[in-house]
Amino acid sequence: MSRIYLRKIIPSDIKTLYKWGQDPLYHNTACFEKMTSMAQAKVATDCYMARKYSYAIVLAETKQMVGLIELYNHVPFNGAQPICEVGFLLQKDYWHQGLMKEAMDKIINFAFNKLELKQVWAVTFADNSNAQSFLEKYGFEYVKTVDTFIEEIFRKELYFVLTYR
């Protein structure tokens, strides 16, 4: 039995999104939006609710939202063909418990078996070694590093790909 399930983002998730938006850890590691007001959190919540494949990661036992995982089209920095990217964030209290693997299993199964995608990409900042290690253990392969201009600074992004077999 799975310890988590995925569900669409709902209006009451605003409090959790706001809490994450106030923590620089999530902004620095996952480029999660900085938030200083509930109005900003409302905009973010509405945005996640509108995305077709954006899901809350929810603990089955408590029904508490502990993360996000989503599939979206990403246009690489160099203007190449759009790719399907998986984005993910797990509340730090739940790191290293295998919950993200369970969530990734669900979204990758959906991507390959329902959407019939052949590849799913993931992008991390160069200094996010936890995400890189997770992706490699999951089976994603490192492809390249790209310099990206985000919030008036250059950051290195690492691209990984998982190919359907």
Side-chain angles (χ1 to χ4, degrees):
M1 184 169 158
S2 183
R3 297 174 296 161
I4 57 103
Y5 63 89
L6 305 183
R7 66 154 167 77
K8 295 296 287 176
I9 304 298
I10 57 176
S12 61
D13 292 332
I14 190 171
K15 293 174 193 162
T16 301
L17 295 174
Y18 182 58
K19 179 174 76 172
W20 296 341
Q22 292 183 305
D23 190 330
L25 173 71
Y26 302 117
H27 179 73
N28 294 334
T29 59
C31 208
F32 190 76
E33 305 95 304
K34 290 180 184 176
M35 296 178 205
T36 57
S37 70
M38 288 300 280
Q40 289 173 310
K42 168 98 170 71
V43 170
T45 303
D46 291 345
C47 180
Y48 283 113
M49 287 172 43
R51 293 179 183 168
K52 190 171 184 179
Y53 302 120
S54 191
Y55 302 97
I57 301 169
V58 180
L59 294 176
E61 188 173 308
T62 64
K63 312 288 189 255
Q64 177 187 357
M65 178 187 184
V66 296
L68 289 170
I69 194 161
E70 59 184 340
L71 295 172
Y72 50 88
N73 286 331
H74 174 92
V75 178
F77 186 74
N78 64 3
Q81 282 293 105
I83 57 177
C84 179
E85 182 179 336
V86 61
F88 54 95
L89 178 151
L90 188 65
Q91 192 169 303
K92 60 189 170 189
D93 305 343
Y94 297 94
W95 289 3
H96 307 293
Q97 297 178 30
L99 297 176
M100 186 52 71
K101 182 188 179 309
E102 289 183 40
M104 189 67 77
D105 286 346
K106 292 175 186 312
I107 202 90
I108 293 298
N109 180 54
F110 176 72
F112 288 158
N113 297 315
K114 299 290 186 204
L115 299 178
E116 299 181 348
L117 299 176
K118 301 300 177 213
Q119 290 184 324
V120 174
W121 290 74
V123 180
T124 73
F125 289 132
D127 57 356
N128 190 348
S129 58
N130 282 340
Q132 294 158 31
S133 176
F134 169 76
L135 291 169
E136 288 172 341
K137 286 177 186 172
Y138 196 85
F140 281 78
E141 295 178 15
Y142 169 78
V143 176
K144 65 182 174 181
T145 300
V146 174
D147 287 323
T148 305
F149 193 66
I150 300 174
E151 295 184 353
E152 302 183 13
I153 61 170
F154 280 100
R155 293 192 71 173
K156 292 193 179 298
E157 290 184 325
L158 279 64
Y159 281 67
F160 294 82
V161 67
L162 183 68
T163 302
Y164 180 74
R165 300 181 204 275

